[in-house]
Amino acid sequence: MKLLDESSENLIEIRDLKYSRGHRAIFEGLDLDIKRGEVTALMGPSGTGKTTLLRLITRQLVPQHGTIHIGGIDIATLNLAELYQLRQRFGMLFQNGALLTDLSVFENVAFPLREHTKLTNRLIRHVVLTKLHAVGLRGAADMMPSQLSGGMARRVALARAMVMDPDILIYDEPFVGLDPISMGVIVRLVRRMNDTLGITSIIVSHDVAEVSTVADCSFLISGGKVAASGSPDELRTANSELVRQFMHGMADGPVAFHYHAPDYEEQLLGRDAE
Amino acid sequence: MRDLYNNSVEFVRTFGAFQLFSLRVIRYSPLVLLSRFDLVVKQIFNTGALSLVIIMVCGLFVGGVLGLQGYSNLARFNAEDSIGVFAAFGLIKELGPVITALLFAGRAGTSLASEIGLMKATDQLSAMEMMAVNPVPRVLVPRFLGGIIAMPLLVAVFSTIGLFGTHLVAVELLSVDVGAFWQQIQITVDMHDINEGIFKSFVFGVAASMIAVWEGYNAVPTAEGVGRATTRTVVITAIAVLVFDFMITALMI
Amino acid sequence: MQQTRSVEIGTGLFVLLGMGALFFLTTQTTGGDDFSANETYLVEARFENIGSLRNRAPVAMSGVTIGRVIGIRFDPVSLEAVVQFVIDSQFNQIPDDSDASILTSGILGSQYIGLRAGGSDTYLEDGSEVLFTQSAILLENLIGKFLVNAGSKDED
């Protein structure tokens, strides 16, 4: 696999991506580059298809138009075996951890090792405990996922995502629904994993404040395209109306407070029914 | 008119998708059976062993009812001795496989569908995909195989317990001669009849497990969607089992 | 580990129980094995009409089952039904002039072959034929006869 090919600066290149679900267009010609070894944030208002974009990058979905290259490979050309080989280089942290509910914490982290390697039980134990220690949950190894708090579940999922030593780590809304302490822990972990292990990280989030502390580069996606990009500081001082509205959380701006509706007065008077 | 057309096309599409899905599950089955039998064993426990109590209780009462009904009807012709035959044929060829399959749909089918649906709703299946583990052989096939293996055994337990239920009512309660009871059964019941029961239970096992797994895997990944999937599992399985029962009986007679 | 242990025990119990039930059904509810297991000898009998006699029907003498029907075929030459049945070898002193008739147990019960002892000094053995037979009494014929008799009485 040419994934570790160092020839280009960009690990992931997306060109002219179009994707629609039913009649609703979600992406209309999206271009996006993700640099090797950085923490890249994909931000945008709810419903702009950030999670869809992740699923496209990992080819859980296939775009109707456009290409996605990862490490120089067009992922649309891969067959299932090659795709699974590629995915072993990915680690993904789902919104709520997505731990397998019938397995213990230990077995959850061990799951990829058991499925893909023929390591001895002792070696698996060693690797799993190391990863759990890194997220501070070595003591929870024997617990079941249902006994964990939201923050702990996400840390376990992070340990699981790390266990195969991936090249790319993808975080889907890692900060949603966490208390400030857990959130701080996750933010620190994201940064530390990225810097110490030389991983490329992709974070999907609409949590502006948290993302700003951790991301090297942010993309603001709106209306099916990249509306703005740059470092968090650049985005915060940008001139665009949309960027200002999003970064500062204002109710009024290009993204209207009101969902598209018939005229208010007309509807109240019941004339729209005719 | 346009709706009718769309609905028919959608129905045919769903049906076709189900066939393709079944093929995919069946294609992985031998591999899973050989290489991951530990997963299958776990599912035999989940679908079979955990359904055992309900199967046994229901079997006992169905057998008892057959005893009572059979007695009240056969006694009019002085043929109480045939009560065993009446119950044995009913249990082995029809009631055993059919009621077991319906109970299976309610107990094991719903739990399969909701379990898989929840795994989907909580991204566990996507997480597996992302860990380069194909969820079809890892999650679906063991559950399917567990159901297929469990069903004939459950049917056998149901029929046997049912016969003892009839024995209890007929012999202990209504004082039918115990020798006549069992002798009549042995004279009349043929290996062919038992094979028919086993064949039916196998077909019902395939149908019930496949429908449960399919509904779970294709559930809308929300709490509501999972709930609907479990309901549909029971309804569709019940219809499929009764239709198959009719077809097999018609073929075998 | 405790969890997988209980799963294994539960599964084992379940499968054993299921197998046991299957074994019970195949051996205890299907008959005939009690005769095929013992030594038997084969006897034939020809009937004009066998009614609804089935394979595996019992062969009884004085009401005690001593054998079982194993084959029924039609002889195209003599235009008779040929019934083959086996008799347990321990009953080897049945006179060869005994007669066989097809009887019904109860008014709606299944049919069986009843043997009635004759007085000969030689006994039935493997391959011999029961010469004196009486066909099944068909309920329809009986009713028909009764009606005819009733009709002819009226004419008198």
Side-chain angles (χ1 to χ4, degrees), chain C residues 5 20-21 34 65 68 73 86 89 96 98 103 107 109 118 123 128 136 139 147 149:
Chain C
R5 205 178 127 76
D34 41 342
T65 304
R68 199 167 293 286
R73 63 191 170 82
V86 291
S89 299
D96 61 0
S98 300
L103 305 171
I107 196 162
Y123 305 123
S128 56
L139 206 57
L147 290 178
N149 286 348

Side-chain angles (χ1 to χ4, degrees), chain A residues 1-13:
Chain A
M1 186 112 324
K2 288 195 302 177
L3 199 61
L4 295 169
D5 171 27
E6 301 285 337
S7 60
S8 78
E9 190 192 0
N10 296 329
L11 187 58
I12 301 177
E13 291 181 354

Side-chain angles (χ1 to χ4, degrees), chain A residues 133-193:
Chain A
H133 187 73
V135 295
L137 289 176
R138 193 162 39 88
D142 292 328
M143 289 164 84
M144 294 303 284
S146 55
Q147 296 169 295
L148 302 176
S149 72
M152 286 164 85
R154 239 168 275 185
R155 278 150 72 187
V156 173
L158 183 56
R160 185 178 66 179
M162 297 295 309
V163 81
M164 294 291 283
D165 292 324
D167 299 318
I168 305 171
L169 253 181
I170 299 174
Y171 304 86
D172 186 6
E173 305 279 10
F175 309 119
V176 167
L178 289 185
D179 63 85
I181 301 173
S182 308
M183 202 171 326
V185 170
I186 300 275
V187 168
R188 270 223 320 280
L189 280 173
V190 171
R191 194 69 244 181
R192 204 169 76 202
M193 297 285 181

Side-chain angles (χ1 to χ4, degrees), chain C residues 101-117:
Chain C
S101 41
I102 295 176
L103 305 171
T104 309
S105 56
I107 196 162
L108 290 173
S110 55
Q111 291 189 302
Y112 67 99
I113 293 183
L115 289 178
R116 206 168 49 197

Side-chain angles (χ1 to χ4, degrees), chain C residues 17-33:
Chain C
L17 198 65
M19 295 286 194
L22 215 53
F23 181 75
F24 174 85
L25 287 181
T26 48
T27 58
Q28 295 304 302
T29 64
T30 58
D33 300 319

Side-chain angles (χ1 to χ4, degrees), chain C residues 22-134:
Chain C
L22 215 53
F23 181 75
F24 174 85
L25 287 181
T26 48
T27 58
Q28 295 304 302
T29 64
T30 58
D33 300 319
D34 41 342
F35 284 101
S36 57
N38 296 351
E39 285 284 294
T40 56
Y41 60 97
L42 183 84
V43 180
E44 269 187 5
R46 289 165 182 274
F47 294 94
E48 197 181 309
N49 191 332
I50 58 163
S52 60
L53 188 74
R54 283 183 52 182
N55 236 349
R56 317 178 68 85
V59 177
M61 200 155 185
S62 311
V64 179
T65 304
I66 58 165
R68 199 167 293 286
V69 173
I70 59 160
I72 297 172
R73 63 191 170 82
F74 180 69
D75 181 352
V77 181
S78 66
L79 302 178
E80 281 173 328
V82 180
V83 176
Q84 294 177 307
F85 52 92
V86 291
I87 296 175
D88 198 316
S89 299
Q90 59 175 304
F91 310 113
N92 55 2
Q93 299 195 329
I94 302 170
D96 61 0
D97 63 342
S98 300
D99 65 283
S101 41
I102 295 176
L103 305 171
T104 309
S105 56
I107 196 162
L108 290 173
S110 55
Q111 291 189 302
Y112 67 99
I113 293 183
L115 289 178
R116 206 168 49 197
S120 169
D121 290 338
T122 48
Y123 305 123
L124 286 177
E125 53 192 24
D126 197 41
S128 56
E129 184 177 338
V130 179
L131 296 171
F132 305 103
T133 63
Q134 192 183 350

Side-chain angles (χ1 to χ4, degrees), chain A residues 84 87 99-101 115-116, chain B residues 36 124 129 131-132 138:
Chain A
Y84 276 167
R87 281 190 186 156
L99 297 177
L100 305 176
T101 37
E115 293 292 328
H116 293 305
Chain B
R36 296 306 301 268
Q124 291 181 50
E129 286 264 353
M131 290 185 279
R138 182 64 178 71

